[in-house]
Structures are given as structure tokens and as C-alpha cells.
Coordinates of all heavy atoms in Angstrom, one line a residue:
T132 N -1.4 0.6 1.3 CA -1.2 -0.8 1.0 C 0.2 -1.2 1.1 O 1.1 -0.3 1.0 CB -1.7 -1.1 -0.5 OG1 -1.5 -2.5 -0.7 CG2 -1.0 -0.3 -1.5
N133 N 0.5 -2.4 1.3 CA 1.8 -2.9 1.3 C 2.2 -3.6 0.0 O 3.3 -4.1 -0.1 CB 2.1 -3.9 2.5 CG 1.2 -5.2 2.3 OD1 0.3 -5.2 1.5 ND2 1.5 -6.2 3.0
V134 N 1.4 -3.4 -1.0 CA 1.6 -3.9 -2.4 C 2.2 -2.8 -3.2 O 1.6 -1.7 -3.2 CB 0.3 -4.5 -3.0 CG1 0.5 -5.0 -4.4 CG2 -0.3 -5.6 -2.1
G135 N 3.3 -3.1 -3.9 CA 3.9 -2.1 -4.8 C 2.9 -1.7 -6.0 O 2.2 -2.6 -6.4
I136 N 3.0 -0.5 -6.5 CA 2.2 -0.1 -7.5 C 2.3 -1.0 -8.8 O 1.3 -1.3 -9.4 CB 2.5 1.4 -7.9 CG1 2.1 2.3 -6.8 CG2 1.8 1.8 -9.2 CD1 2.5 3.8 -7.0
A137 N 3.5 -1.5 -9.0 CA 3.6 -2.4 -10.2 C 2.8 -3.7 -10.1 O 2.4 -4.3 -11.1 CB 5.1 -2.7 -10.3
D138 N 2.5 -4.1 -8.8 CA 1.7 -5.3 -8.6 C 0.2 -5.0 -8.4 O -0.5 -6.0 -8.1 CB 2.3 -6.0 -7.4 CG 3.7 -6.5 -7.7 OD1 4.1 -6.8 -8.8 OD2 4.5 -6.5 -6.7
W139 N -0.2 -3.8 -8.4 CA -1.7 -3.5 -8.2 C -2.6 -4.2 -9.2 O -3.7 -4.6 -8.8 CB -1.9 -2.0 -8.2 CG -1.4 -1.3 -7.0 CD1 -0.6 -1.8 -6.0 CD2 -1.7 0.0 -6.6 NE1 -0.4 -0.8 -5.0 CE2 -1.1 0.3 -5.4 CE3 -2.5 1.1 -7.2 CZ2 -1.2 1.5 -4.7 CZ3 -2.5 2.3 -6.6 CH2 -1.9 2.5 -5.3
A140 N -2.2 -4.2 -10.4 CA -3.1 -4.8 -11.4 C -3.5 -6.3 -11.1 O -4.6 -6.6 -11.1 CB -2.5 -4.7 -12.8
T141 N -2.5 -7.0 -10.7 CA -2.8 -8.4 -10.4 C -3.3 -8.6 -9.0 O -4.2 -9.4 -8.7 CB -1.5 -9.3 -10.5 OG1 -0.5 -8.7 -9.7 CG2 -1.1 -9.4 -11.9
A142 N -2.9 -7.8 -8.0 CA -3.3 -7.9 -6.6 C -4.8 -7.5 -6.5 O -5.5 -8.1 -5.7 CB -2.4 -7.1 -5.7
F143 N -5.2 -6.4 -7.1 CA -6.5 -5.8 -6.9 C -7.4 -6.0 -8.1 O -8.6 -5.6 -8.1 CB -6.4 -4.3 -6.6 CG -5.5 -4.0 -5.4 CD1 -4.4 -3.2 -5.5 CD2 -5.8 -4.6 -4.2 CE1 -3.6 -3.0 -4.4 CE2 -5.0 -4.4 -3.1 CZ -3.9 -3.5 -3.2
G144 N -6.9 -6.6 -9.2 CA -7.8 -6.8 -10.4 C -8.2 -5.6 -11.1 O -9.3 -5.5 -11.5
V145 N -7.3 -4.6 -11.1 CA -7.6 -3.3 -11.8 C -6.8 -3.2 -13.1 O -5.8 -3.9 -13.3 CB -7.3 -2.1 -10.9 CG1 -8.1 -2.1 -9.7 CG2 -5.8 -2.1 -10.6
T146 N -7.4 -2.5 -14.0 CA -6.7 -2.3 -15.3 C -5.7 -1.1 -15.3 O -5.8 -0.3 -14.4 CB -7.8 -2.1 -16.4 OG1 -8.4 -0.8 -16.2 CG2 -8.8 -3.2 -16.5
A147 N -4.9 -1.1 -16.3 CA -4.0 0.1 -16.4 C -4.7 1.4 -16.5 O -4.2 2.4 -15.9 CB -3.1 -0.1 -17.7
A148 N -5.8 1.4 -17.2 CA -6.6 2.7 -17.3 C -7.1 3.1 -15.9 O -7.1 4.3 -15.6 CB -7.8 2.5 -18.3
M149 N -7.6 2.2 -15.1 CA -8.0 2.5 -13.8 C -6.9 3.0 -12.9 O -7.0 4.0 -12.2 CB -8.7 1.3 -13.1 CG -10.0 0.8 -13.8 SD -10.6 -0.7 -13.2 CE -11.1 -0.3 -11.6
L150 N -5.7 2.4 -13.0 CA -4.5 2.8 -12.3 C -4.1 4.3 -12.7 O -3.8 5.1 -11.9 CB -3.4 1.9 -12.5 CG -3.5 0.6 -11.7 CD1 -2.3 -0.4 -12.1 CD2 -3.5 0.8 -10.3
D151 N -4.2 4.5 -14.0 CA -3.9 5.8 -14.6 C -4.8 6.9 -14.0 O -4.3 7.9 -13.5 CB -4.0 5.8 -16.1 CG -3.6 7.1 -16.7 OD1 -2.5 7.6 -16.4 OD2 -4.4 7.7 -17.4
R152 N -6.1 6.6 -13.9 CA -7.0 7.6 -13.3 C -6.8 7.8 -11.8 O -6.9 8.8 -11.3 CB -8.4 7.2 -13.6 CG -8.8 7.4 -15.1 CD -10.0 6.7 -15.5 NE -10.4 7.0 -16.9 CZ -9.8 6.5 -18.0 NH1 -8.8 5.6 -17.8 NH2 -10.2 6.7 -19.2
L153 N -6.5 6.7 -11.1 CA -6.3 6.7 -9.7 C -5.1 7.5 -9.3 O -5.0 8.4 -8.4 CB -6.2 5.3 -9.1 CG -5.9 5.2 -7.6 CD1 -7.1 5.8 -6.8 CD2 -5.6 3.8 -7.2
L154 N -4.0 7.3 -10.1 CA -2.7 7.9 -9.8 C -2.4 9.3 -10.5 O -1.4 9.9 -10.2 CB -1.6 7.0 -10.1 CG -1.6 5.7 -9.3 CD1 -0.6 4.7 -9.9 CD2 -1.3 5.9 -7.9
H155 N -3.4 9.7 -11.3 CA -3.1 10.9 -12.1 C -2.8 12.1 -11.3 O -1.8 12.8 -11.6 CB -4.4 11.2 -13.0 CG -4.3 12.5 -13.7 ND1 -3.4 12.6 -14.8 CD2 -4.9 13.7 -13.6 CE1 -3.6 13.9 -15.3 NE2 -4.5 14.5 -14.6
R156 N -3.5 12.4 -10.2 CA -3.2 13.6 -9.4 C -2.8 13.1 -8.0 O -2.8 13.9 -7.1 CB -4.4 14.5 -9.3 CG -4.7 15.1 -10.6 CD -5.7 16.2 -10.5 NE -6.0 16.7 -11.8 CZ -5.8 18.0 -12.1 NH1 -5.3 18.8 -11.3 NH2 -6.1 18.4 -13.3
A157 N -2.4 11.9 -7.8 CA -2.1 11.3 -6.5 C -0.7 11.7 -6.1 O 0.2 12.0 -7.0 CB -2.2 9.8 -6.5
T158 N -0.4 11.7 -4.9 CA 0.9 11.9 -4.3 C 1.2 10.5 -3.7 O 0.6 10.1 -2.8 CB 1.0 13.0 -3.2 OG1 0.6 14.2 -3.8 CG2 2.4 13.1 -2.7
V159 N 2.3 9.9 -4.2 CA 2.7 8.6 -3.7 C 3.8 8.8 -2.6 O 4.8 9.4 -2.9 CB 3.1 7.7 -4.8 CG1 3.6 6.3 -4.2 CG2 2.0 7.5 -5.8
V160 N 3.5 8.3 -1.4 CA 4.5 8.4 -0.3 C 4.9 7.0 0.1 O 4.1 6.2 0.5 CB 3.8 9.2 0.9 CG1 4.8 9.3 2.0 CG2 3.3 10.6 0.4
G161 N 6.2 6.8 0.0 CA 6.7 5.5 0.4 C 7.1 5.6 1.9 O 7.8 6.5 2.3
I162 N 6.5 4.7 2.7 CA 6.8 4.7 4.1 C 7.5 3.4 4.4 O 7.0 2.3 4.1 CB 5.5 4.7 4.9 CG1 4.7 6.0 4.6 CG2 5.7 4.7 6.4 CD1 3.3 6.1 5.2
D163 N 8.7 3.5 5.0 CA 9.5 2.4 5.4 C 9.7 2.4 6.9 O 10.1 3.4 7.5 CB 10.8 2.5 4.6 CG 11.6 1.2 4.7 OD1 11.0 0.1 4.9 OD2 12.9 1.3 4.6
G164 N 9.4 1.2 7.5 CA 9.6 1.1 8.9 C 8.7 0.1 9.5 O 7.9 -0.5 8.8
P165 N 8.7 0.0 10.8 CA 7.8 -1.0 11.5 C 6.4 -0.6 11.3 O 6.0 0.6 11.3 CB 8.3 -1.0 12.9 CG 8.9 0.4 13.1 CD 9.5 0.7 11.8
S166 N 5.5 -1.6 11.3 CA 4.1 -1.4 11.2 C 3.5 -1.0 12.5 O 3.7 -1.6 13.6 CB 3.4 -2.7 10.8 OG 2.0 -2.6 10.9
Y167 N 2.7 0.1 12.5 CA 2.1 0.6 13.7 C 1.0 -0.4 14.2 O 0.9 -0.6 15.3 CB 1.4 2.0 13.4 CG 0.7 2.5 14.6 CD1 1.3 3.1 15.6 CD2 -0.7 2.5 14.6 CE1 0.7 3.6 16.7 CE2 -1.4 3.0 15.7 CZ -0.7 3.6 16.7 OH -1.4 4.1 17.8
R168 N 0.3 -1.0 13.2 CA -0.8 -1.9 13.6 C -0.2 -3.2 14.2 O -0.9 -3.8 15.0 CB -1.6 -2.3 12.4 CG -2.5 -1.1 11.9 CD -3.3 -1.4 10.7 NE -2.3 -1.7 9.6 CZ -2.6 -2.5 8.6 NH1 -3.8 -3.1 8.5 NH2 -1.8 -2.8 7.6
L169 N 0.9 -3.6 13.8 CA 1.5 -4.9 14.3 C 2.4 -4.7 15.5 O 3.0 -5.7 16.0 CB 2.2 -5.6 13.1 CG 1.4 -6.1 12.0 CD1 2.3 -6.7 10.9 CD2 0.4 -7.0 12.4
R170 N 2.5 -3.5 16.0 CA 3.5 -3.2 17.1 C 3.2 -4.1 18.3 O 4.1 -4.7 18.8 CB 3.4 -1.8 17.4 CG 4.4 -1.4 18.5 CD 4.3 0.1 18.8 NE 2.9 0.5 19.0 CZ 2.5 1.8 19.2 NH1 3.4 2.7 19.1 NH2 1.3 2.1 19.4
S171 N 2.0 -4.2 18.7 CA 1.6 -5.0 19.9 C 1.9 -6.5 19.6 O 2.4 -7.2 20.5 CB 0.1 -4.8 20.2 OG -0.2 -5.7 21.3
H172 N 1.5 -7.0 18.5 CA 1.7 -8.4 18.1 C 3.2 -8.7 18.1 O 3.7 -9.7 18.6 CB 1.1 -8.7 16.8 CG 1.5 -10.1 16.3 ND1 0.9 -11.2 16.8 CD2 2.3 -10.4 15.3 CE1 1.4 -12.3 16.2 NE2 2.3 -11.8 15.2
Q173 N 4.0 -7.8 17.5 CA 5.5 -8.0 17.5 C 6.1 -8.0 18.8 O 7.0 -8.8 19.1 CB 6.1 -7.0 16.6 CG 5.7 -7.2 15.1 CD 6.2 -6.0 14.2 OE1 6.4 -4.9 14.7 NE2 6.3 -6.2 12.9
S174 N 5.6 -7.2 19.7 CA 6.1 -7.1 21.1 C 5.8 -8.4 21.8 O 6.7 -9.0 22.5 CB 5.5 -6.0 21.8 OG 5.9 -6.0 23.2
T175 N 4.6 -8.9 21.7 CA 4.2 -10.2 22.3 C 5.0 -11.4 21.8 O 5.5 -12.2 22.5 CB 2.7 -10.5 22.1 OG1 2.0 -9.4 22.7 CG2 2.3 -11.7 22.8
S176 N 5.2 -11.4 20.4 CA 5.9 -12.5 19.9 C 7.4 -12.5 20.2 O 8.1 -13.5 20.4 CB 5.8 -12.6 18.3 OG 6.3 -11.4 17.7
D177 N 8.0 -11.3 20.4 CA 9.4 -11.2 20.8 C 9.5 -11.7 22.3 O 10.5 -12.4 22.6 CB 9.8 -9.7 20.8 CG 10.1 -9.2 19.4 OD1 10.2 -10.0 18.5 OD2 10.1 -8.0 19.2

């Protein structure tokens, strides 16, 4: 997702308990850079 974890509760309508269970054993990887899915669109718009 492109939504930060702090905003998940409002963006996805989940509770803190649900987030706790989801992230309990999760590995969170922050990826910074251009979107692979939007690459073609960005090339055309450029």
C-alpha cells in the first residue's frame, strides 16, 4: 500500500487490535522510488 501504517485505521477502517494482529509477525519493508505500475503512464505524460 502507499498508505502509511499510522493512517491504516482511517484509510481501511480497521481497529488497533486488527492492526496489532496483522503486524505482530510481519516484516515491514519501506520501498522508496518510482512506481513500477505507473512507469508507462509517466513516460507517456512526460
Side-chain angles (χ1 to χ4, degrees):
T132 179
N133 63 344
V134 178
I136 293 173
D138 298 325
W139 282 13
T141 54
F143 303 122
V145 295
T146 64
M149 292 171 71
L150 286 174
D151 181 56
R152 285 166 179 77
L153 177 66
L154 296 171
H155 175 67
R156 294 187 183 245
T158 301
V159 177
V160 178
I162 301 171
D163 189 25
S166 170
Y167 178 77
R168 292 179 294 154
L169 294 177
R170 181 177 52 187
S171 175
H172 172 73
Q173 289 170 339
S174 174
T175 302
S176 65
D177 288 343

